[in-house]
Amino acid sequence: MRLETYLKQQGISKRTLYNRISEGTIFTYTDKGVRHVVERSELANSKIRKKIIKEIVAEFEPLISRGHFNPDSRADIVQEIQMKVEEWKDRGVEIKGWSSVSCYRKMKTMKLQRQTRSDKFSRKNPILQDSDAYQKLKALVYNFYQGDKSKRPSVRLVTQRIEMLSKKREEYWELAAIPRSTLRDNVTKIIDRFAIDKKHVMENAYNSHRRKRLYNEGAFTRDLKFMETFMLDDKVMDVAGTQVWNELRGKFETRKIYMWMVIEGKTMFPLAYEIKTREFKAEDVKQLLLKALMQMGRPKVVLMDNGLAASKKCVELLDRLGIAHDPGPAYEPLHKQPVERMFGTGFVKTEFNAQWKNYIGGGRAEVRHTGKRLSPEEADHTVEQFIREFDNYIEGFYQIREREITDEDFKKELISIRDNFNRHYMYYEKEMIDPVKLRLANMEYAIKKVGYQMLEFGKHGIYSPSPGHEIHPVLCDKKYAVYYNPLDMQSVDLYAIEDHLIEETGETKEKGMFVATFESLRSKSNRERQALVAETNKKFEKQLRKAAESAIDVNLAKGVHAFMPELNEAGSILNKREELHEKMRELESDFKHRATRIDIPESKKASRVNLDEPEEVNLFDKWKHL
């Protein structure tokens, strides 16, 4: 039951609840954002037990990720995991697959899911293990499925037709021994793995096929090495706020100004920064860090404090990219002294913030005031003006002002931040991060269905495969995890969310495996888009035909169709018709025998003009004529 309901029902406080949880008498799990309470007696329920195990394993995965990138900590991590496993085992919940050996293997390979069985895509039925029998089945499936001109042929009907035909024709007799359920399962797999269903839709319901295709959419330190260290820090600007327009209230309001910045450690050159009139969130800081990594490549270490920059989101991003990070000891800013100097008494505070009339400095004594009253001045600028002036300061005065530095030989010199950065950058070879790895490390994704070489991604528009990343027809019209970088929506990556087999090539795409990179069409000119769409669709349809026909010997089922006598009780309709004709002939003969001659009485003969011998009258012929 829900946590709130449990507290109300038991009449206990949250403190008592948490005491019981720590004692192990009750447990909790989260389902769809709602916290539920489970008593020990309810652990017998397999569904509840699975949800608890799922939540426990989710806590283990970040530990495995940390151990993968920090081998020295693996022993401690394994010990921590084993303690939790044993603790839950004592409570009656057994967590399988997390032994010490498994933990070390997971940290080494980063494969958190169980390995796919080697025989997963093999044919287990002994009859179908024979290549000839399997080729015959493929041919029958192709012919019966393609022969059905309905929009979506019935797999059950195709299976039954194959079953009936195999009992009537000797060349298919081995297929008759396959159980119906097994036969239907293999029919379904053949249709899917050879894209027969997609080819059928293309040939019989082209508008449905067309709708799924791609379409055109109208930091100064002597010991640091250059670019090895990125420093990340935040600052509340030393002014008494700025004016922000409130749409709801229809007036300006005064709000504080917050800033986060990433700088290069040796030269104090700014790599990325962001200004907001609200407090930053972990996601905002992660995006800022992502922006710096995209522009300047991979550093060896990122130095930050123990605040938002050390949040789970930021740490996991750096871990996935294999970049070391050091939050340093709490309340000890000297480990990232260059950025502290930049923000503190050094540059931004004195060179920029102190130039505003509502400057407040770092304490009450520093507050600017023009009379006895120590309250700061009201802001007379908007946030847009403040950001614009800060941009000009960072790109101008901050970078070009000459400052005193100490070089590697302990010699002091006057040089600007820009010139110092450029002279190092001239001989520096950037180690750019692969965009695919960056998107995967960012871990922002959406489950989307990919059509025929086409992905619709909401407001971001239409995407098509990057050159050399066209996907096989078997992989089309399926759902994928689409990983993206919100700072660069030019390209996205597809990852499989289920296992796929392309029988034509023998290639498999296992769950979690990279499939392809797609590019946005919006970056191309209209003419380029039109040419790309036409070429992509043409190639896909050619590949679609090849995928089904090249791997199936259609001649093995030549002449097979839905109206074959073997499928319709051979000759039964013709025999019935012959029986009806024979019965009519018997009736006709009997009628002639009884109604061929009619004797006219003598009393009637006198009235006839012709008194000769009465003529023969065939009433049956007259009846038939009528």
Side-chain angles (χ1 to χ4, degrees):
M1 65 178 69
R2 292 193 175 196
L3 188 145
E4 295 81 4
T5 306
Y6 184 83
L7 291 174
K8 187 175 180 180
Q9 188 182 84
Q10 297 291 323
I12 60 176
S13 64
K14 285 189 177 181
R15 181 182 293 275
T16 304
L17 175 69
Y18 294 138
N19 287 338
R20 291 184 182 180
I21 294 173
S22 61
E23 292 169 358
T25 56
I26 60 174
F27 315 100
T28 62
Y29 70 90
T30 304
D31 185 22
K32 297 179 180 179
V34 179
R35 199 72 176 165
H36 295 264
V37 177
V38 179
E39 294 186 343
R40 186 181 288 271
S41 59
E42 295 180 273
L43 292 176
N45 188 317
S46 60
K47 291 184 178 180
I48 294 178
R49 196 164 58 248
K50 285 180 180 179
K51 290 178 180 179
I52 292 176
I53 293 174
K54 184 178 180 180
E55 191 164 306
I56 297 169
V57 170
E59 296 176 2
F60 291 167
E61 291 178 356
L63 298 176
I64 295 297
S65 178
R66 194 174 72 195
H68 177 74
F69 296 108
N70 299 281
D72 295 340
S73 65
R74 290 179 181 177
D76 296 334
I77 292 173
V78 171
Q79 184 179 1
E80 182 181 348
I81 292 175
Q82 293 308 302
M83 288 176 63
K84 290 185 178 180
V85 169
E86 290 299 323
E87 181 182 340
W88 280 101
K89 187 175 182 180
D90 294 340
R91 296 173 180 175
V93 178
E94 186 176 0
I95 307 173
K96 296 181 179 180
W98 289 90
S99 64
S100 298
V101 176
S102 297
C103 290
Y104 278 110
R105 177 180 55 78
K106 287 180 172 69
M107 283 188 284
K108 184 177 180 180
T109 63
M110 278 302 289
K111 290 185 178 181
L112 301 179
Q113 302 293 332
R114 291 190 176 183
Q115 191 173 4
T116 304
R117 300 195 318 267
S118 59
D119 63 342
K120 179 169 183 176
F121 294 112
S122 63
R123 304 186 293 275
K124 298 178 179 60
N125 185 276
I127 297 174
L128 294 178
Q129 288 177 355
D130 179 68
S131 178
D132 293 338
Y134 186 61
Q135 293 297 328
K136 292 178 182 178
L137 177 61
K138 290 196 296 183
L140 291 174
V141 171
Y142 180 85
N143 278 275
F144 282 133
Y145 197 92
Q146 290 296 108
D148 192 329
K149 304 307 179 185
S150 61
K151 184 176 181 180
R152 189 177 180 182
S154 168
V155 175
R156 181 179 181 184
L157 180 60
V158 172
T159 304
Q160 288 178 334
R161 282 175 171 162
I162 294 173
E163 190 177 36
M164 293 170 65
L165 180 63
S166 62
K167 293 177 180 178
K168 299 290 184 178
R169 278 201 181 182
E170 187 175 348
E171 62 262 40
Y172 303 119
W173 65 269
E174 64 264 53
L175 302 180
I178 303 174
R180 178 175 293 180
S181 60
T182 304
L183 184 62
R184 181 174 179 177
D185 183 51
N186 281 274
V187 168
T188 304
K189 290 178 179 178
I190 290 171
I191 292 172
D192 180 65
R193 293 174 182 176
F194 292 97
I196 297 175
D197 53 343
K198 299 179 180 69
K199 180 176 181 292
H200 179 275
V201 172
M202 181 180 69
E203 295 179 349
N204 298 279
Y206 192 78
N207 283 338
S208 297
H209 164 80
R210 188 180 62 180
R211 283 193 295 268
K212 296 180 180 181
R213 298 186 311 169
L214 174 68
Y215 66 88
N216 190 6
E217 204 192 19
F220 285 28
T221 57
R222 183 181 56 84
D223 298 327
L224 291 177
K225 300 295 183 182
F226 181 69
M227 292 297 287
E228 284 191 355
T229 306
F230 287 1
M231 298 184 179
L232 179 64
D233 203 3
D234 65 315
K235 179 174 181 61
V236 180
M237 303 301 272
D238 304 295
V239 294
T242 187
Q243 296 294 318
V244 180
W245 179 255
N246 188 317
E247 289 285 352
L248 187 62
R249 297 182 178 179
K251 64 178 183 179
F252 280 99
E253 295 179 344
T254 303
R255 295 183 185 174
K256 290 183 178 181
I257 306 175
Y258 303 86
M259 181 182 69
W260 274 86
M261 181 176 284
V262 183
I263 66 172
E264 194 280 313
K266 184 174 184 63
T267 63
M268 298 178 63
F269 190 85
L271 305 179
Y273 63 90
E274 186 78 25
I275 294 177
K276 293 182 181 293
T277 55
R278 61 164 176 83
E279 292 190 16
F280 279 69
K281 300 178 181 179
E283 183 64 28
D284 300 324
V285 179
K286 187 186 82 168
Q287 301 247 341
L288 181 64
L289 187 56
L290 193 64
K291 183 178 180 181
L293 296 174
M294 288 171 56
Q295 295 177 346
M296 306 307 297
R298 182 194 302 274
K300 285 191 176 182
V301 65
V302 173
L303 302 182
M304 72 275 260
D305 57 20
N306 285 277
L308 283 178
S311 64
K312 181 179 178 181
K313 287 187 176 182
C314 296
V315 168
E316 286 184 351
L317 171 66
L318 296 172
D319 282 343
R320 295 188 191 104
L321 293 173
I323 300 174
H325 48 87
D326 180 13
Y331 306 108
E332 290 291 340
L334 292 180
H335 79 291
K336 50 181 178 56
Q337 184 272 339
V339 72
E340 295 290 346
R341 181 183 177 187
M342 176 182 178
F343 282 174
T345 58
F347 309 143
V348 174
K349 179 180 178 180
T350 57
E351 294 176 358
F352 180 74
N353 291 337
Q355 310 308 310
W356 297 89
K357 61 177 294 185
N358 61 339
Y359 170 73
I360 58 174
R364 187 176 179 86
E366 290 187 71
V367 175
R368 177 182 178 272
H369 55 285
T370 56
K372 295 181 179 180
R373 193 164 167 260
L374 295 180
S375 299
E377 299 282 340
E378 291 289 334
D380 61 350
H381 56 269
T382 64
V383 64
E384 292 81 11
Q385 291 173 327
F386 188 91
I387 293 175
R388 184 169 60 249
E389 294 299 333
F390 187 80
D391 290 342
N392 294 334
Y393 163 71
I394 287 294
E395 296 297 326
F397 188 84
Y398 172 78
Q399 293 187 27
I400 63 177
R401 180 191 176 191
E402 288 188 342
R403 308 174 190 275
E404 187 179 88
I405 67 168
T406 303
D407 61 16
E408 289 81 357
D409 298 325
F410 296 94
K411 294 181 180 179
K412 293 185 178 182
E413 66 173 319
L414 283 174
I415 189 171
S416 69
I417 291 177
R418 181 182 295 172
D419 291 342
N420 190 29
F421 179 85
N422 287 338
R423 70 177 180 181
H424 287 90
Y425 193 74
M426 186 182 303
Y427 304 101
Y428 173 73
E429 187 174 346
K430 236 192 285 191
E431 183 185 353
M432 297 306 296
I433 303 174
D434 184 355
V436 175
K437 292 182 179 180
L438 204 58
R439 287 189 284 268
L440 181 60
N442 187 46
M443 288 300 287
E444 288 194 39
Y445 67 92
I447 303 298
K448 295 286 183 180
K449 191 170 185 178
V450 176
Y452 295 168
Q453 308 290 5
M454 181 270 292
L455 166 67
E456 291 185 83
F457 204 162
K459 66 180 181 179
H460 303 293
I462 305 302
Y463 288 74
S464 66
S466 299
H469 283 254
E470 294 80 4
I471 59 177
H472 194 276
V474 171
L475 303 177
C476 291
D477 201 24
K478 299 184 185 299
K479 289 185 177 181
Y480 294 90
V482 181
Y483 282 75
Y484 60 92
N485 179 353
L487 301 178
D488 179 17
M489 294 301 296
Q490 175 68 26
S491 301
V492 296
D493 303 317
L494 308 185
Y495 288 82
I497 59 175
E498 57 182 337
D499 298 334
H500 301 289
L501 170 65
I502 306 172
E503 287 234 14
E504 180 188 5
T505 61
E507 183 183 3
T508 62
K509 294 292 183 181
E510 299 179 5
K511 182 178 180 181
M513 184 180 290
F514 172 79
V515 176
T517 296
F518 275 43
E519 293 181 349
S520 173
L521 290 181
R522 291 182 175 177
S523 61
K524 305 179 186 301
S525 68
N526 188 50
R527 181 173 294 181
E528 289 175 330
R529 289 200 301 267
Q530 290 177 347
L532 176 63
V533 168
E535 182 67 19
T536 301
N537 289 335
K538 183 178 178 181
K539 286 183 178 180
F540 175 75
E541 291 173 2
K542 182 178 179 180
Q543 190 181 21
L544 185 54
R545 291 188 179 92
K546 178 184 175 183
E549 295 174 355
S550 63
I552 299 177
D553 189 353
V554 181
N555 293 324
L556 290 175
K558 191 174 183 180
V560 174
H561 53 83
F563 301 109
M564 299 169 59
E566 290 89 339
L567 302 179
N568 295 283
E569 291 296 331
S572 62
I573 296 177
L574 295 176
N575 291 341
K576 190 68 175 177
R577 186 173 181 181
E578 287 297 325
E579 289 175 8
L580 291 173
H581 276 290
E582 183 63 32
K583 190 170 183 179
M584 278 303 292
R585 283 194 291 269
E586 290 177 2
L587 289 173
E588 181 182 0
S589 177
D590 184 57
F591 203 108
K592 287 181 178 181
H593 179 72
R594 290 187 288 105
T596 301
R597 292 178 177 274
I598 299 177
D599 295 330
I600 302 173
E602 291 296 333
S603 59
K604 300 291 185 179
K605 290 181 179 180
S607 62
R608 294 175 63 90
V609 177
N610 188 0
L611 299 177
D612 295 335
E613 191 74 11
E615 66 175 335
E616 189 178 89
V617 180
N618 192 334
L619 296 180
F620 182 79
D621 289 337
K622 292 184 176 183
W623 167 80
K624 187 165 66 173
H625 175 70
L626 296 173

